[in-house]
Amino acid sequence: MLMGKKILLGMTGGIAAYKIPDLVRRLKERGAQIRVVMTNNATQFITPLTLQTVSGFPVHLDFNPETENQINHIELARWADLILIAPATANFIAKLAHGFADDLLSTICLATTAQIAVAPAMNQQMWKAEVTQNNLNLLKKRSFLIFEPADGSQACGETGKGRLLESLQIIELIEIFYTKNTILKGKTVLITAGATREDLDPVRFISNRSSGKMGYAIAQAAQQAGAKVILISGKTNLTPPQFVDFIEVYSAQEMFDAVMKELEELKINIFIGTAAVADYRPIRSENQKIKKNQDIMTIELERTPDILANVAKLSPRPFVVGFAAETQEVEKYALSKLDKKNLDLIAANQVGIPNQGFDSDNNVLQVFWRDGSIELPHAPKSEIAKQLIEIIAKRFLMTF
Ligand code: PMT
């Protein structure tokens, strides 16, 4: 998959630099072409000769009148189809976020149209620092890929998040980048997933069986199709997919507020409501644990806002995709939701039977739009999600 790919590896000055020769060797084994640019600080940790030996090409150091004549920074910026900054220090991330161009590597980053991926490595406190997180958010907004660092013991003796990923993990993420298709390139997709929780008291809540698997798979498939993806999720046991903007919420109201905020702040092209949102919530949530001093207890419930229906009422509005989880008469109820909620498309699944629907790794979907339908037969949710995203993308491009 990496055969012939042109990867410019930018090294900045961190102790994790010792991992980079191994990364370069493995990338080369997979057929990638590698050129290395090192900042002055990077050369304090590892020599250019090491990188020259493993990459098979001279290493580009800071602006050098001699080499600048042979291959200048603009040529390097044009040559690459991916620029990977690894390790990326907090200082270099700050420079990228604010558009500094005061050395060869930052100048190349400013002059390129290639995708830039950043693999941070730093002390855990520096990683957590608000300013570092703000800088990373700025980069994410500009569609940089962030290869999130790992948790663990650090060279400084502390423990926490900030370790550079291992070579094979970085390569996996690079491969994800290259497998991406472009059907949703330039589009922004907002997805809800998982179950919401409606508190009765500090101990108990009303929820449902949704694990989030279907919604997370759809988020990953949309990201792989080239879209910028925002995933708003109830609490789950899952790890959010890579390169997806992730917002965790608790209740239906919080999910509603988060969805509306994103719709206000960003131009969302497609909205997909995969979440199993509570339809009702207790009228009151008690401050203290409810005592069991009655034989029969009645809890008064009220309707929650219908997120999907409200998104579909907006003007202008995104292409709106709903889900229907039904135990019977799937087609009838799905078509009625398509109509009543004024959706562009609905994906219906039968729930309450083994090996599909809630919490399963597999699913079966019947997809309906105004003048058509298609069945996606039993398959892993990752596969179903890819097929669904293709259908959504085609319908979106035809109708919007
Ligand atoms: O999460 P998993 O374990 O992988 O399971 C996947 C799934 C079964 C949860 C998923 O495939 C699915 O069917 N999701 C929708 C579940 C649901 O709540 O369906 P519904 O028929 O009750 O709701 C219809 C639509 O309205 C849904 O798109 C829902 O997100 C939306 N809705 C419902 C109520 C509400 N207050 N706001 C909403 O937006």
Side-chain angles (χ1 to χ4, degrees):
M1 186 186 300
L2 296 184
M3 187 60 72
K5 301 295 183 218
K6 296 175 179 166
I7 302 174
L8 190 141
L9 188 97
M11 290 180 64
T12 69
I15 182 64
Y18 79 87
K19 293 182 175 176
I20 301 303
D22 175 62
L23 174 65
V24 172
R25 187 178 59 77
R26 289 175 190 269
L27 285 167
K28 281 206 58 160
E29 273 169 12
R30 285 162 175 76
Q33 301 180 50
I34 308 291
R35 301 289 182 275
V36 180
V37 177
M38 294 174 81
T39 63
N40 284 338
N41 284 340
T43 63
Q44 305 289 318
F45 289 90
I46 192 159
T47 68
L49 186 58
T50 310
L51 272 308
Q52 178 174 314
T53 310
V54 283
S55 72
F57 284 90
V59 170
H60 301 274
L61 302 171
D62 217 347
F63 285 111
N64 171 341
E66 276 171 36
T67 50
E68 189 70 3
N69 278 341
Q70 294 149 20
I71 301 182
N72 70 29
H73 61 281
I74 299 293
E75 271 178 63
L76 280 171
R78 284 190 192 134
W79 173 83
D81 42 43
L82 174 69
I83 295 182
L84 169 66
I85 313 293
T89 59
N91 179 60
F92 197 77
I93 289 169
K95 283 185 10 175
L96 282 180
H98 297 283
F100 281 69
D102 60 356
D103 61 12
L104 180 61
L105 186 55
S106 53
T107 309
I108 289 172
C109 289
L110 206 55
T112 193
T113 55
Q115 175 68 57
I116 302 180
V118 173
M122 64 193 75
N123 161 273
Q124 52 93 21
Q125 199 51 52
M126 292 169 77
W127 170 258
K128 275 197 278 195
E130 198 182 339
V131 65
T132 304
Q133 291 304 314
N134 287 343
N135 287 334
L136 286 162
N137 283 336
L138 284 175
L139 294 184
K140 282 186 198 163
K141 279 201 183 118
R142 300 213 304 269
S143 299
F144 282 53
L145 300 178
I146 311 297
F147 293 179
E148 295 257 335
D151 242 312
S153 59
Q154 302 198 302
C156 56
E158 294 179 17
T159 303
K161 193 164 174 177
R163 284 168 58 95
L164 183 70
L165 294 178
E166 299 304 324
S167 300
L168 289 179
Q169 292 172 308
I170 294 179
I171 288 171
E172 204 182 314
L173 295 175
I174 293 175
E175 286 176 346
I176 291 179
F177 162 70
Y178 280 114
T179 50
K180 209 157 127 169
N181 69 41
T182 52
I183 191 161
L184 287 178
K185 191 166 186 232
K187 304 289 178 258
T188 303
V189 180
L190 179 60
I191 298 167
T192 63
T196 59
R197 292 180 180 182
E198 310 304 323
D199 281 350
L200 283 162
D201 67 14
V203 180
R204 308 166 180 103
F205 55 77
I206 299 174
S207 190
N208 60 65
R209 298 174 197 274
S210 169
S211 62
K213 288 178 187 170
M214 191 69 248
Y216 282 47
I218 291 172
Q220 175 145 31
Q223 196 280 330
Q224 292 274 283
K228 171 180 168 58
V229 176
I230 303 149
L231 174 63
I232 299 183
S233 169
K235 288 195 173 296
T236 70
N237 293 323
L238 307 176
T239 307
Q242 281 281 346
F243 314 137
V244 159
D245 286 353
F246 180 73
I247 301 167
E248 189 181 76
V249 293
Y250 189 83
S251 61
Q253 187 63 49
E254 272 188 27
M255 188 173 272
F256 175 83
D257 294 341
V259 165
M260 291 305 157
K261 185 164 175 274
E262 292 304 312
L263 282 157
E264 249 173 58
E265 286 177 2
L266 286 175
K267 177 164 169 34
I268 304 292
N269 303 100
I270 299 172
F271 175 78
I272 309 175
T274 321
V277 188
D279 292 316
Y280 290 91
R281 65 185 164 211
I283 285 187
R284 271 186 323 279
S285 163
E286 301 299 340
N287 290 330
Q288 304 300 331
K289 183 179 174 188
I290 302 168
K291 293 292 169 198
K292 41 182 181 299
N293 44 19
Q294 310 162 54
D295 284 344
I296 293 180
M297 185 179 169
T298 306
I299 299 163
E300 272 193 295
L301 303 175
E302 63 184 0
R303 286 298 300 266
T304 54
D306 190 316
I307 303 169
L308 191 63
N310 276 289
V311 174
K313 275 186 202 146
L314 296 173
S315 174
R317 62 168 227 175
F319 184 87
V320 182
V321 179
F323 262 72
E326 307 295 346
T327 53
Q328 56 175 337
E329 300 196 78
V330 177
E331 177 167 351
K332 180 175 136 196
Y333 289 124
L335 287 173
S336 136
K337 281 175 186 166
L338 179 74
D339 189 42
K340 279 197 194 132
K341 298 197 188 195
N342 192 25
L343 309 177
D344 296 298
L345 189 140
I346 192 158
N349 40 194
Q350 182 154 12
V351 292
I353 49 176
N355 206 11
Q356 67 181 68
F358 286 113
D359 202 20
S360 169
D361 290 331
N362 305 307
N363 211 358
V364 177
L365 287 181
Q366 281 175 269
V367 185
F368 301 96
W369 54 96
R370 303 266 155 216
D371 50 5
S373 72
I374 190 167
E375 172 157 337
L376 306 181
H378 195 268
K381 281 181 176 165
S382 54
E383 223 10 79
I384 294 265
K386 279 188 210 153
Q387 295 169 20
L388 180 65
I389 282 296
E390 244 177 66
I391 297 166
I392 292 173
K394 282 185 193 145
R395 300 292 318 153
F396 164 74
L397 294 169
M398 279 166 77
T399 49
F400 269 57

